[in-house]
Amino acid sequence: MENVFIVHYGEIGLKGKNRSFFEKQLVQNMRGSLQDTGYTEIRRIYGRILVTLRPEADVEAIRERLGKVMGIAHFELACATEQNMDAIKAAALDWIQGKTFQTLKVDTKRANKNFPLTSPEINAEVGAHLLKNTGARADMHNPELLCTIEIVENAAYIYTEKNQGAGGLPVGVSGKVLVMLSGGIDSPVAAWRMMKRGVKAIYVHFYSYPYTDKSSLEKVRELVRVLATWNYDGRVYLVPFADIQKEIVTKTPAPFRVLLYRRMMVRIAQRIAATVKAEALVTGESLGQVASQTLGNIRAIEDVATMPILRPLIGDDKAEIMDRAQRIGTFEISTLPHQDCCSLFVPDHPATNASIEAVRAAEANLEVDALVEKALEGVEREVVEA
């Protein structure tokens, strides 16, 4: 017998002729995530992926990391044994030793239809063996211990505990996006939501130092570090934005300032996206959450976009976003105090439903192209390790 993790996927199984592509990307991501944990091999078997372990493998580290691999529906620590009933019964009894229970059930999934016994026959024979040797009672509806047997290809796998995976699609199968990361609660969650749909995220952050402190820069680095455990990429582009804001403050009407900030950010982000071959921008906007996120204002900002702007949180309320931030590990970092660049020179009465025509007219006083080029000259690229 040997110990393995048996990994199950969900949505990938519906991909038809493209399924192999998704499986290979998932295996590649698992290999990257499980470095230095003591596994010996990761390979695809029928409808599953198998992680074989050395005796000295760090099982808890592997369990934790598999839980952060997008595309995994659930996974189990199991023992692998020969495909004969004597071996299966012996392995099942050995596997449940030390566990506390008074009722049990055996559930078999027989992917290898050449195995001579049916699933109900395996359940009955193994169940009788376990009941005889443990003194437990059978309970088909609400057992304290569920012993699962999977008959796959040339082996049998036995386990009793299921670990929930992240679900979704493997990172890397859906292209690349540039996430506009603010340092607040919302944008890291938006990034995570997009990763779950299989995209690789790269980040851009706009800062207003020296008119604000450097806390937002440090927060963004820490957020990228956390997100990189899901994303396998920690590239972030840091854009100096204070000079653009000063121009907007001195040359445009106060109610439109935040909208003009964001229009400039979109223009600059698009240029960076082109250099990294990202196919869309991602923001943490949620409809109606703040003045700049009304439908009218979102439309006014998107007026300058030449590529898609994805808003995965657009229909979520703040409580939902905060709950997700806590679950993925970004909430505590995001709630540390910092000075966001969009909070600099904010008017007392910002426009809440600006027309595109009014915003364009306000922007006419700016040398837009020159400001964009100047900002791009000051961009710094950093790579943050997970």
Side-chain angles (χ1 to χ4, degrees):
M1 293 191 302
E2 64 177 349
N3 288 355
V4 302
F5 273 98
I6 186 164
V7 172
H8 298 78
Y9 44 74
E11 194 172 344
I12 293 174
L14 306 176
K15 294 301 180 181
K17 294 180 180 179
N18 293 322
R19 178 168 161 177
S20 177
F21 165 72
F22 288 84
E23 288 179 337
K24 288 177 180 177
Q25 184 66 56
L26 180 54
V27 169
Q28 179 179 320
N29 293 350
M30 289 168 60
R31 286 175 178 150
S33 182
L34 298 184
Q35 290 182 52
D36 305 320
T37 57
Y39 78 89
T40 59
E41 182 185 28
I42 300 176
R43 63 184 176 90
R44 294 183 291 160
I45 60 175
Y46 182 80
R48 300 152 178 83
I49 295 172
L50 204 64
V51 183
T52 57
L53 309 179
R54 296 191 184 98
E56 69 276 13
D58 190 338
V59 171
E60 289 310 310
I62 293 173
R63 194 193 310 273
E64 180 182 356
R65 295 190 196 184
L66 286 176
K68 293 185 176 183
V69 177
M70 301 295 190
I72 295 177
H74 58 90
F75 58 96
E76 295 78 29
L77 179 63
C79 68
T81 191
E82 299 174 18
Q83 264 188 26
N84 67 71
M85 288 306 298
D86 287 340
I88 291 171
K89 287 189 290 185
L93 181 60
D94 184 67
W95 192 252
I96 66 174
Q97 293 301 315
K99 300 184 185 299
T100 303
F101 60 93
Q102 293 183 330
T103 59
L104 69 83
K105 174 184 176 181
V106 176
D107 181 40
T108 301
K109 299 174 174 60
R110 188 175 64 114
N112 179 2
K113 302 303 182 185
N114 293 321
F115 191 77
L117 275 66
T118 65
S119 293
E121 289 170 337
I122 298 169
N123 293 341
E125 190 168 333
V126 175
H129 180 71
L130 298 183
L131 295 175
K132 176 183 176 182
N133 286 277
T134 63
R137 305 187 310 276
D139 186 338
M140 299 297 104
H141 303 291
N142 189 30
E144 294 179 11
L145 182 75
L146 175 64
C147 181
T148 303
I149 302 169
E150 297 195 14
I151 308 292
V152 188
E153 295 184 356
N154 298 316
Y157 303 95
I158 299 160
Y159 55 87
T160 56
E161 297 177 5
K162 180 181 289 189
N163 301 277
Q164 192 66 35
L169 297 174
V171 169
V173 299
S174 301
K176 196 182 298 180
V177 297
L178 184 68
V179 179
M180 299 173 73
L181 197 64
S182 69
I185 295 171
D186 300 344
S187 54
V189 177
W192 186 90
R193 289 277 295 271
M194 293 307 303
M195 293 172 204
K196 191 171 180 179
R197 299 314 306 155
V199 302
K200 178 158 289 209
I202 299 167
Y203 310 95
V204 60
H205 175 69
F206 296 85
Y207 66 95
S208 298
Y209 181 80
Y211 300 100
T212 60
D213 60 31
K214 290 186 175 181
S215 58
S216 74
L217 293 173
E218 295 306 318
K219 283 183 65 174
V220 162
R221 292 185 183 104
E222 288 305 307
L223 288 169
V224 172
R225 195 182 311 281
V226 172
L227 292 170
T229 64
W230 306 84
N231 185 53
Y232 323 116
D233 198 321
R235 280 178 288 171
V236 57
Y237 290 81
L238 304 174
V239 183
F241 200 61
D243 288 344
I244 289 178
Q245 289 179 280
K246 285 195 300 181
E247 285 288 302
I248 290 172
V249 168
T250 58
K251 295 183 178 180
T252 67
F256 298 121
R257 282 179 192 168
V258 175
L259 298 181
L260 297 178
Y261 293 168
R262 294 192 181 278
R263 283 166 66 96
M264 295 299 292
M265 288 177 180
V266 168
R267 291 184 175 103
I268 295 165
Q270 287 176 154
R271 294 282 296 276
I272 296 171
T275 67
V276 299
K277 296 182 171 54
E279 299 174 73
L281 303 181
V282 173
T283 76
E285 290 165 308
S286 172
L287 187 61
Q289 189 177 120
V290 295
S292 65
Q293 295 176 20
T294 64
L295 276 178
N297 285 355
I298 288 173
R299 186 164 175 256
I301 295 166
E302 195 162 326
D303 176 52
V304 301
T306 58
M307 62 168 42
I309 300 179
L310 306 180
R311 301 176 175 90
L313 308 184
I314 197 69
D316 291 354
D317 63 34
K318 196 66 176 183
E320 292 172 317
I321 298 168
M322 291 169 63
D323 178 65
R324 177 58 65 184
Q326 289 174 327
R327 291 166 64 186
I328 67 177
T330 58
F331 181 79
E332 290 187 2
I333 301 170
S334 293
T335 51
L336 292 172
H338 79 286
Q339 294 175 300
D340 179 73
C341 70
C342 281
S343 65
L344 186 65
F345 311 130
V346 172
D348 293 331
H349 303 288
T352 57
N353 192 26
S355 70
I356 292 175
E357 293 73 20
V359 175
R360 287 176 180 171
E363 201 172 59
N365 293 324
L366 301 174
E367 295 182 15
V368 170
D369 292 342
L371 290 171
V372 169
E373 294 299 330
K374 183 177 180 181
L376 289 169
E377 289 173 5
V379 171
E380 297 179 29
R381 176 183 178 273
E382 292 188 9
V383 177
V384 179
E385 297 293 336

